[in-house]
């Protein structure tokens, strides 16, 4: 293996680590928000690997972290909020996908480049949870 390939691997692993730390911070802010505001209908579970299980209004929601590439080939963090697959479904239902850049800025898509909201800012987390809950309530069956 050449040095160039090794450097690319190190960069990818470093990027994953950096983005995952922001995902963990986001999860901790969500836990704190639910606890501080006495919201028993939202239970934010601990993160195991790249996923966490939340219980929202008596429903299980899987919150999954990953990376995706932007059109400029840089990486973006991606958080998917999914309802588990039902008896007639082949895949979980993705309710909401949240993208973010290296700074933790929330993005509308992987190709978006600007936001004034940050997933790691405790003041912006209520806005993000509100957006998720809107999608969640739209998909209740």
């Amino acid at each position: 293996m050449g040095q160039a390939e090794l450097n690319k691997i190190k960069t990818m692993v470093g990027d994953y680590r950096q983005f995952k730390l922001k995902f963990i911070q986001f999860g901790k802010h969500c836990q704190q928000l639910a606890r501080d505001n006495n919201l028993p209908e939202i239970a934010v579970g601990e993160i195991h690997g790249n996923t966490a299980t939340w219980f929202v209004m008596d429903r299980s929601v899987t919150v999954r972290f990953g990376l995706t590439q932007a059109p400029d080939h840089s990486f973006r963090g991606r958080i998917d909020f999914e309802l588990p697959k039902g008896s007639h479904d082949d895949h979980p239902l993705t309710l909401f996908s949240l993208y973010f850049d290296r700074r933790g800025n929330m993005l509308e898509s992987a190709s978006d480049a600007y936001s004034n909201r940050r997933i790691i800012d405790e003041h912006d987390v209520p806005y993000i949870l509100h957006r998720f809950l809107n999608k969640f309530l739209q998909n209740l069956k």
Side-chain angles (χ1 to χ4, degrees), residues 4-119:
E5 288 83 11
L6 184 58
N7 287 340
K8 287 179 184 179
I9 291 169
K10 287 180 179 180
T11 299
M12 290 173 140
V13 170
D15 284 348
Y16 181 83
R17 186 179 306 124
Q18 183 180 13
F19 281 99
K20 186 174 178 187
L21 286 173
K22 288 177 178 39
F23 171 62
I24 292 169
Q25 285 179 296
F26 171 70
K28 291 188 182 301
H29 284 310
C30 291
Q31 284 176 331
Q32 192 70 38
L33 176 81
R35 188 174 28 250
D36 289 353
N37 291 284
N38 192 25
L39 300 172
E41 293 78 18
I42 302 173
V44 177
E46 294 295 321
I47 297 169
H48 299 284
N50 70 332
T51 61
T53 301
W54 293 12
F55 291 95
V56 180
M57 299 177 194
D58 301 322
R59 300 276 311 263
S60 175
V61 175
T62 300
V63 181
R64 187 178 321 275
F65 163 75
L67 291 182
T68 191
Q69 274 193 322
D72 67 359
H73 302 291
S74 65
F75 288 105
R76 301 282 193 257
R78 178 178 172 156
I79 302 172
D80 290 321
F81 297 81
E82 305 170 339
L83 287 177
K85 56 184 168 181
S87 58
H88 301 293
D89 301 326
D90 291 335
H91 302 286
L93 172 65
T94 302
L95 299 172
F96 178 60
S97 292
L98 172 67
Y99 299 88
F100 59 98
D101 64 14
R102 287 185 195 297
R103 294 183 186 155
N105 294 322
M106 185 186 101
L107 307 171
E108 295 298 322
S109 69
S111 60
D112 198 8
Y114 174 77
S115 175
N116 61 353
R117 305 252 184 219
R118 296 174 47 107
I119 69 164

Side-chain angles (χ1 to χ4, degrees), residues 127-139:
Y127 170 81
I128 295 166
L129 283 180
H130 178 259
R131 289 194 56 203
F132 157 69
L133 285 172
N134 276 333
K135 296 289 185 177
F136 176 82
L137 290 172
Q138 289 172 8
N139 285 285

